[in-house]
Amino acid sequence: MSLKKIAVFPGSFDPITLGHVDIIKRAIPLFDSIIVAIGTNAAKKYMWTLEERKEKLEKAFSDYPNVSVADYDGLTAAFCKEHKAQFILRGLRNATDFTYEQTIAQANQKVNGVDSVFLICSPEFSYISSSIVRDIARNNGDISLLIP
């Protein structure tokens, strides 16, 4: 019997963007199961509620039975262990993202035994970030071309 390959795609998803959707859909063939994990941080102020973020994610992946959505507090690696996930899935838009993610990935592997898998964002989504979408939304701009 082979071990199921389970990946966790963590983030705040405040909001989910087309970049997130791109990474998750491209990762589907690589894993038996992907858990899109909404991290919660009491100290952080979110623009959308946890329920709204969860609902958007569930709607975006309703046609993909091997993609599930969950929320969690605490360390991502602890969430991975709890759900028997061997991988953390991350999307990279640029070298800055890689530099930031590299140290975290190395620590997660060394301390928790969870490997990180990086996918490079498709070029048409490389400029999109949740913070840019929030800024546009805060200023009454149209975000419809950036989110699912």
Side-chain angles (χ1 to χ4, degrees):
M1 184 172 101
S2 65
L3 188 63
K4 266 187 82 173
K5 292 181 295 206
I6 302 170
V8 169
F9 186 61
S12 64
F13 304 103
D14 189 37
I16 181 175
T17 70
L18 293 178
H20 294 129
V21 172
D22 171 59
I23 295 295
I24 295 165
K25 284 185 176 178
R26 289 176 38 230
I28 287 171
L30 304 175
F31 302 101
D32 297 308
S33 175
I34 298 173
I35 304 167
V36 182
I38 307 168
T40 56
N41 179 342
K44 190 171 179 184
K45 188 171 173 161
Y46 297 103
M47 193 163 183
W48 285 272
T49 68
L50 175 60
E51 293 74 26
E52 289 170 323
R53 291 178 282 147
K54 200 169 187 176
E55 183 181 307
K56 290 278 190 196
L57 284 160
E58 287 169 346
K59 186 177 177 186
F61 295 100
S62 62
D63 293 336
Y64 300 89
N66 62 331
V67 177
S68 61
V69 179
D71 59 272
Y72 72 101
D73 294 309
L75 295 174
T76 302
F79 179 85
C80 289
K81 283 190 172 203
E82 180 184 334
H83 292 272
K84 297 180 178 22
Q86 311 93 323
F87 306 98
I88 295 174
L89 173 65
R90 299 298 290 159
L92 302 175
R93 292 169 297 179
N94 51 44
T96 304
D97 283 355
F98 176 77
T99 301
Y100 173 77
E101 295 289 346
Q102 179 184 15
T103 306
I104 297 167
Q106 290 168 330
N108 280 329
Q109 198 288 320
K110 185 72 172 171
V111 176
N112 299 297
V114 179
D115 275 315
S116 293
V117 174
F118 299 111
L119 289 182
I120 305 298
C121 181
S122 296
E124 64 268 29
F125 304 118
S126 64
Y127 68 95
I128 303 172
S129 70
S130 291
S131 55
I132 286 173
V133 174
R134 283 192 306 273
D135 195 42
I136 293 168
R138 234 182 255 111
N139 291 288
N140 301 312
D142 180 9
I143 60 171
S144 64
L145 294 176
L146 307 174
I147 61 171

